Amino acid sequence: MKIQFATSCFVIATLLSPLAAHAEDRDADRSHPITFVKDSVITTKIKSMLADEKMKTLVHVKVDTDSRGAVVLSGTARTQEDADKAASIAREVKGVTSVTNNIQIKNDD
């Protein structure tokens, strides 16, 4: 039940994040609304696929997509395998041209 609730909250936040990102959009390459929507769709697909993995560590991964389909992953993961899995998931999304994995490994000691 807790996993379903957490997943639901994550999906809702993902769907609302384009609104928050648009409120403080500093990227000059998103001057056209269609470009912004395309970027948001790629970002949302990646976040949704990460949520489908049901790995708690992937909840802390942030996704940013530019107008050319380049994705930057940041945040934290528990293991290098989890960070690599997030990058692999991002590469699978249609429209992604490159993935930069800046995820930091953070052990819960």
Side-chain angles (χ1 to χ4, degrees), residues 44-58:
T44 302
K45 283 182 183 178
I46 293 170
K47 287 183 178 181
S48 175
M49 291 174 73
L50 290 173
D52 287 345
E53 286 297 312
K54 295 183 174 77
M55 295 172 63
K56 287 172 61 174
T57 186
L58 296 181

